[in-house]
Amino acid sequence: MKLKSSQKQNIVFAIGLVLLIIPQTRQPIQVFIQKGLAVFSPSVTEKSEQQDVNSYQWHLKDLEGQSYNFKFAQNQVVLLNFWATWCPPCIAEMPSLVALHKDYKDKVQFLFVSNEDEDVIVAFLKKHNYTIPVHQPMSAVPERLHTSTIPRTLLISKSGKIVIDKTGASNWNSNTVRTTIEQLLAE
């Protein structure tokens, strides 16, 4: 018995739906889709629309338990990324963030912030061989930086202007981002 084209499409759709329902296959499929969406570079906010970081009053700790005061980031170029290990868009954009961190870690203050348990974060970093500075919040996130959706990444100038504010997966290792960082470092 030969299947019609519409029947073949229905079978493929049903298989795809089943794969998305099964927890073990859902996340890899979602990450794959998000990687396709994360090929685009984030947009730089027009200067007239850039908001100031309203407060540097924020305390975090790194994965070694060392306290970090966000005031240390004042007057520096900062890339702040809110993420989680279970978040497909976060996983999809992480390689581009890691590559950017590798090249700019001595010039830009990178803060990868997650609310997850330390053991979960460490296992994720080890699994992917990532060496990035992950922090956990110890106090309330300043109002302009607060987010309820991840990933959210902000590029902040030395003067405290939010130059890029992107929610969702993006290509952070793009020419646009690198050019913007170089301009911010030169200010």
Side-chain angles (χ1 to χ4, degrees):
M1 177 169 137
K2 189 169 182 174
L3 295 175
K4 294 179 185 176
S5 177
S6 63
Q7 289 174 317
K8 289 179 187 176
Q9 290 173 348
N10 287 342
I11 290 171
V12 169
F13 178 76
I15 290 170
L17 192 58
V18 167
L19 289 174
L20 285 173
I21 292 171
I22 300 169
Q24 291 84 355
T25 57
R26 179 178 38 239
Q27 188 182 49
I29 291 169
Q30 290 173 326
V31 169
F32 177 77
I33 292 167
Q34 290 295 326
K35 281 187 179 183
L37 298 173
V39 297
F40 301 105
S41 178
S43 301
V44 176
T45 306
E46 292 292 327
K47 282 195 183 231
S48 62
E49 296 179 20
Q50 292 176 1
Q51 294 187 346
D52 287 317
V53 172
N54 60 332
S55 172
Y56 281 87
Q57 295 295 324
W58 188 25
H59 295 277
L60 304 108
K61 71 172 184 168
D62 66 19
L63 295 178
E64 284 78 45
Q66 297 296 312
S67 143
Y68 179 84
N69 188 334
F70 190 54
K71 278 192 176 261
F72 295 142
Q74 206 164 4
N75 301 318
Q76 295 185 50
V77 176
V78 178
L79 190 134
L80 173 62
N81 174 258
F82 294 94
W83 70 288
T85 63
W86 51 262
C87 163
C90 302
I91 296 167
E93 75 173 0
M94 191 58 73
S96 70
L97 285 162
V98 170
L100 191 68
H101 173 261
K102 182 181 174 193
D103 291 343
Y104 286 97
K105 65 183 172 195
D106 296 329
K107 299 175 185 173
V108 173
Q109 182 68 47
F110 283 85
L111 294 169
F112 295 89
V113 179
S114 177
N115 285 326
E116 292 180 282
D117 289 337
E118 185 178 317
D119 295 342
V120 173
I121 298 168
V122 169
F124 176 86
L125 296 174
K126 191 176 208 174
K127 176 183 176 183
H128 296 283
N129 199 28
Y130 292 153
T131 53
I132 55 173
V134 178
H135 292 79
Q136 298 170 302
M138 300 302 293
S139 64
V141 179
E143 182 184 337
R144 291 247 169 83
L145 307 179
H146 185 269
T147 186
S148 58
T149 306
I150 56 174
R152 180 177 182 211
T153 307
L154 301 105
L155 182 61
I156 303 168
S157 72
K158 293 177 186 177
S159 62
K161 297 280 187 191
I162 300 172
V163 177
I164 297 177
D165 185 348
K166 172 69 173 146
T167 300
S170 200
N171 177 11
W172 290 94
N173 195 28
S174 67
N175 288 337
T176 300
V177 173
R178 287 176 170 273
T179 300
T180 304
I181 287 174
E182 290 296 336
Q183 290 169 348
L184 295 176
L185 290 170
E187 289 180 351

